Amino acid sequence: MRPLSDRALLFLPFLLFSCAPKLEEVKAPLNFPTDVHSYAQPNEARVTHSFLDLSVDFNTKTLTGSVTHTLTGTNKIVLDTRDLTIARTETSTDGQTFAPAQHTLGASDPILGAPLTIPLASGDRFVRVHYTTSPKAVALQWLEPSQTAGKRAPYLYTQGQPIYTRSWIPVQDSPSIRITYKARIRTQPNFFAVMSANNDQRTAAPTGDYSFDMTQAVPPYLIALAVGEIQFRLIGGRTGVYTEKAMLDASAREFTDLENMLSAAERLYGTYRWDRYDLLVLPPSFPIGGMENPRLTFATPTILAGDKSLVSLVSHELAHSWSGNLVTNATWSDFWLNEGFTVYVERRIQEEIYGVQQSEMEFAIEVDELKKEMATLKPEDTRLHVDLKGRDPEDGVTLVPYVKGALLLRALEQELGRERWDAFVRSYFDKFAFQSITTATFESYLKEQFPNLKLDFKQWIYSPGLPASTPVIKSLLLEAATEQAARFAAGKPVETRDWLSLQYLSFLRALPPTLTAAQMAALDQQFRFTQSKNSEILAAWLLLSVQHNYTPASAALEDFLSRVGRQKFIKPLYQELAKTPAGKTRAAALFAKYKPNYHPIAAAAVEAILKK
Ligand code: BES
Ligand code: ZN
């Protein structure tokens, strides 16, 4: 141990005589960075803990109740809200007796929502807000029984990232602000509720009254809730899966490697700090692939391929337990710190479990997709640090933070060697655990650890495009697939013996939009793509079918768009349809019919495509 510094000596009495609070609760910065996507003014007053007390009403599609925030600071507290009806607010000095407060709700911005300001008298340590959510709340999807697998009961789930939590909880909705939370959630007695928190009732019979406790400080975008006819099955000692009964067997089979993934991640990056790691497999309307809600990743059922070929998504969400949830981007402009690191860690977990050929193929596929997407982006949106002032943080969600971010870390690994680089990454997760940091903080830690670093960090972060020195990710498996696609397009026979699912996917993605009707029919006949149970392969095939007006896949397209709400799949399909007048008419008709099956975020995205 190093000798105690003068500063540490000052704190010695405190260390000796008080019961030390949990580390994760006390690490707030001296100065919070500016977050252009939150009205909160944490340098004046901030929330440290929240208690949610909510009733779930499926008839009115609302949550009603209160949140009680514990806070530190003076003068006034500013919370973020969006489409909330505020009934009343109260303040308290002791958390026992509350007095009415004179809050003001500011004007509503279409992206940010409205600030809720509550004045504080001296000594006030608690505020309580009584409120009801709107049936249109962007964070919430309310499913009818017919939209679930069981068809008997309705279903509710939340999606908080990036700035949607404010539409179901009045909070300081900035990733720079971390809180612990407790919740009491009341539902009808036959429903089961789960949250991104400690949950003791995993296998008990549903009661309709659930309590949750998250003792580790997390940013508000990681608060999550789901309610429905949800059941649980253990996978390993610390891992398991929640889902509707109809998907329980398939989910348990697909994720048998979950416990091994967790152990592999721990060997690489240190102890898993969140106790349990469970998955919640949602109904197919879930608008994204996966969401790393702590202790309980939310995932799309479209990764249930039957052959584990799409489980890298689970490695990705698991990786966020270190990058993102432990060390968090302080603003949405620092999003690459969450996602670039996570894609890098995902690759390393996949390498441990499925071998380097598999992980390099996955990486090479992503780099191809990155290059395709970059060609469509404005140069300033191809920087790792994007200026999002006045913009929706969703504008920054491209493959750039994900894959360019991971390539930067790969470049660092190449320069430093795996051993030194891995030791650095472990120390980084330890040093900044339970903190939210900016790119500048990462840069100074990196330069402090490696003063002679050759890599041009500023160029990677602030210049558009990919630096000339970008690592080349080579995969023979991927090359074989794209080579066969070129052969097929040229009218030659193809050889697909022993191919992995991902090779078929790459093969389809590499085919040109100029095949003949006979070629499309031949492909379908040989490989049965229209019947594929692999959602990635099916989505790629349906995209080709739209491009080529291949009508035998028409019913499969409608079936897919009727059930699946994952934006990664449905946005390109609607986009492709909208390219021709007849396609656009069909797209509008399909959307009108199936809009209720999509989450509000996905519906808005499709609406924007069809309006163009
Ligand atoms: N944290 C993201 C999801 C997200 C990002 C939601 C930004 C809202 C705004 C999650 O970890 C993620 O990246 N999911 C990907 C899958 C992954 C394997 C690339 C997805 O949903 O497609
Ligand atoms: Zn992610």
Side-chain angles (χ1 to χ4, degrees):
M1 218 175 103
R2 265 184 275 155
L4 286 174
S5 70
D6 290 350
R7 236 185 99 151
L9 280 172
L10 272 175
F11 287 101
L12 202 53
F14 169 82
L15 290 173
L16 291 176
F17 297 117
S18 75
C19 139
K22 268 197 168 169
L23 265 187
E24 45 253 54
E25 289 168 22
V26 293
K27 286 189 178 170
L30 292 173
N31 253 302
F32 286 81
T34 305
D35 178 356
V36 297
H37 296 113
S38 170
Y39 292 107
Q41 296 173 24
N43 291 316
E44 188 167 34
R46 72 183 164 91
V47 175
T48 58
H49 175 80
S50 302
F51 172 63
L52 267 176
D53 188 350
L54 293 174
S55 295
V56 181
D57 187 340
F58 281 103
N59 293 317
T60 56
K61 301 193 164 135
T62 58
L63 302 173
T64 302
S66 66
V67 61
T68 307
H69 295 304
T70 308
L71 50 92
T72 162
T74 52
N75 198 25
K76 64 175 192 297
I77 182 118
V78 186
L79 306 175
D80 293 293
T81 72
R82 183 166 167 183
D83 298 327
L84 297 179
T85 303
I86 309 297
R88 59 201 165 87
T89 61
E90 300 167 304
T91 56
S92 168
T93 56
D94 59 4
Q96 302 295 319
T97 13
F98 283 78
Q102 296 293 322
H103 66 262
T104 48
L105 189 60
S108 184
D109 174 272
I111 297 169
L112 303 180
L116 175 67
T117 306
I118 304 163
L120 301 173
S122 88
D124 280 346
R125 294 275 323 281
F126 302 88
V127 296
R128 180 171 290 162
V129 183
H130 299 264
Y131 69 99
T132 300
T133 60
S134 159
K136 308 185 315 234
V138 270
L140 307 178
Q141 187 172 25
W142 299 88
L143 295 172
E144 299 294 335
S146 62
Q147 295 166 307
T148 66
K151 312 278 178 217
R152 291 196 311 189
Y155 201 107
L156 162 70
Y157 65 87
T158 67
Q159 168 56 34
Q161 197 182 14
I163 54 169
Y164 305 130
T165 300
R166 62 191 68 178
S167 76
W168 72 286
I169 316 173
V171 278
Q172 292 186 309
D173 196 6
S174 166
S176 65
I177 303 172
R178 310 181 76 96
I179 57 172
T180 55
Y181 76 87
K182 282 189 171 44
R184 181 163 181 194
I185 304 291
R186 280 170 256 222
T187 72
Q188 278 147 269
N190 50 322
F191 296 140
F192 198 69
V194 291
M195 285 192 85
S196 54
N198 186 29
N199 171 10
D200 291 333
Q201 301 129 306
R202 271 188 304 283
T203 50
T207 59
D209 188 347
Y210 303 96
S211 293
F212 302 94
D213 192 1
M214 174 43 93
T215 58
Q216 294 154 304
V218 294
Y221 76 85
L222 292 176
I223 304 175
L225 167 70
V227 180
E229 282 198 329
I230 298 169
Q231 299 190 359
F232 178 75
R233 177 147 340 143
L234 270 178
I235 291 177
R238 283 182 293 175
T239 54
V241 61
Y242 291 92
T243 193
E244 285 188 83
K245 192 171 179 209
M247 292 190 288
L248 208 49
D249 284 336
S251 302
R253 255 183 278 120
E254 202 81 22
F255 306 128
T256 47
D257 296 326
L258 194 54
E259 196 77 26
N260 292 337
M261 288 174 172
L262 180 52
S263 307
E266 284 189 306
R267 281 196 303 277
L268 289 165
Y269 300 114
T271 312
Y272 178 75
R273 311 233 203 171
W274 307 88
D275 186 26
R276 292 198 57 82
Y277 182 78
D278 295 317
L279 292 172
L280 171 67
V281 178
L282 286 132
S285 73
F286 189 54
I288 55 177
M291 179 63 215
E292 65 271 24
N293 297 314
R295 292 165 175 258
L296 184 64
T297 282
F298 284 22
T300 169
T302 61
I303 55 171
L304 301 174
D307 63 357
K308 302 185 184 176
S309 56
L310 305 177
V311 294
S312 63
L313 183 134
V314 174
S315 290
H316 178 96
E317 305 311 334
L318 173 65
H320 274 304
S321 307
W322 286 263
S323 45
N325 297 2
L326 204 54
V327 184
T328 307
N329 53 211
T331 78
W332 297 116
S333 289
D334 304 301
F335 186 55
W336 81 272
L337 279 178
N338 273 22
E339 298 299 343
F341 257 100
T342 296
V343 169
Y344 178 82
V345 171
E346 169 199 341
R347 294 277 67 78
R348 296 293 302 273
I349 298 172
Q350 288 291 105
E351 182 182 325
E352 291 296 310
I353 306 289
Y354 302 107
V356 69
Q357 280 204 33
Q358 173 77 20
S359 64
E360 290 295 281
M361 173 172 52
E362 290 169 353
F363 203 174
I365 291 173
E366 288 171 323
V367 172
D368 277 356
E369 297 293 304
L370 169 71
K371 288 178 179 163
K372 274 192 228 162
E373 187 178 15
M374 287 224 287
T376 71
L377 296 174
K378 290 192 231 95
E380 62 266 31
D381 287 344
T382 67
R383 299 174 188 192
L384 280 179
H385 192 276
V386 183
D387 182 7
L388 292 168
K389 199 169 164 50
R391 299 178 70 185
D392 191 321
E394 295 270 12
D395 290 356
V397 185
T398 68
L399 287 176
V400 172
Y402 286 80
V403 184
K404 183 179 174 182
L407 284 167
L408 160 58
L409 303 179
R410 174 75 162 240
L412 286 165
E413 178 193 332
Q414 277 180 359
E415 181 181 331
L416 298 163
R418 208 170 237 203
E419 213 172 302
R420 282 168 81 205
W421 169 244
D422 283 359
F424 168 84
V425 178
R426 270 192 299 275
S427 79
Y428 164 72
F429 289 143
D430 267 350
K431 180 170 168 77
F432 297 105
F434 299 103
Q435 296 184 48
S436 300
I437 66 164
T438 61
T439 302
T441 302
F442 174 74
E443 181 181 6
S444 39
Y445 185 60
L446 181 72
K447 299 228 163 123
E448 180 192 306
Q449 299 299 309
F450 303 113
N452 301 321
L453 191 73
K454 286 200 220 59
L455 177 134
D456 187 346
F457 189 78
K458 288 246 176 346
Q459 183 196 5
W460 271 94
I461 299 296
Y462 297 106
S463 295
L466 289 171
S469 60
T470 298
V472 177
I473 312 298
K474 203 173 150 59
S475 162
L476 294 177
L477 293 177
L478 175 60
E479 280 168 24
T482 50
E483 198 182 294
Q484 294 301 315
R487 283 179 57 89
F488 182 82
K492 296 181 192 146
V494 292
E495 174 54 75
T496 62
R497 208 165 0 126
D498 298 330
W499 268 19
L500 301 169
S501 294
L502 284 184
Q503 288 179 289
Y504 285 100
L505 177 61
S506 306
F507 172 79
L508 288 175
R509 285 184 181 163
L511 288 172
T514 50
L515 302 175
T516 63
Q519 280 178 309
M520 286 295 289
L523 275 177
D524 206 8
Q525 191 175 11
Q526 191 177 353
F527 301 110
R528 303 263 156 237
F529 287 131
T530 304
Q531 278 82 42
S532 178
K533 295 276 171 278
N534 182 305
S535 61
E536 293 274 359
I537 290 177
L538 181 58
W541 172 247
L542 293 175
L543 194 69
L544 275 173
S545 303
V546 175
Q547 280 170 352
H548 293 88
N549 205 6
Y550 177 68
T551 47
S554 194
L557 174 69
E558 173 154 1
D559 173 65
F560 192 80
L561 290 175
S562 77
R563 349 175 237 110
V564 177
R566 186 177 175 188
Q567 295 176 88
K568 176 185 176 185
F569 296 147
I570 67 171
K571 279 164 66 176
L573 287 170
Y574 277 107
Q575 237 148 24
E576 200 58 44
L577 280 168
K579 282 183 184 167
T580 66
K584 195 160 184 177
T585 309
R586 177 154 193 234
L590 288 168
F591 180 60
K593 202 158 151 197
Y594 301 121
K595 183 180 171 187
N597 295 359
Y598 303 150
H599 185 284
I601 306 167
V606 175
E607 214 141 43
I609 290 168
L610 297 181
K611 248 199 295 208
K612 269 186 207 149

